Amino acid sequence: MQFRPEIDGIRTLAIIPVIIYHLKLPFGDSYFLPGGFLGVDVFLVLSGFLITSDHDLSLPQ
């Protein structure tokens, strides 16, 4: 399977909200980006896509 820089870039962008969530930056009465878990979901979906497409190419036709 060839390297997909666009998918790798999206995975990188998906991790940024997770890092901000763990910094616990105060924002008014709550924290900035309280739903950082959404970035984990996006990261895992994209990783699953890459793994599945890699295995799909290795199966005999």
Side-chain angles (χ1 to χ4, degrees):
M1 181 175 158
Q2 63 191 23
F3 177 69
R4 307 270 311 260
E6 65 276 3
I7 300 288
D8 207 33
I10 294 171
R11 287 173 54 190
T12 302
L13 291 176
I15 293 302
I16 292 173
V18 177
I19 294 170
I20 292 173
Y21 170 77
H22 284 286
L23 290 175
K24 301 271 191 219
L25 300 174
F27 187 73
D29 292 337
S30 65
Y31 294 111
F32 189 67
L33 281 179
F37 59 88
L38 185 61
V40 175
D41 292 341
V42 172
F43 181 84
L44 291 175
V45 166
L46 290 172
S47 296
F49 167 75
L50 290 173
I51 292 168
T52 304
S53 63
D54 186 38
H55 284 302
D56 187 40
L57 293 175
S58 65
L59 291 175
Q61 298 295 330

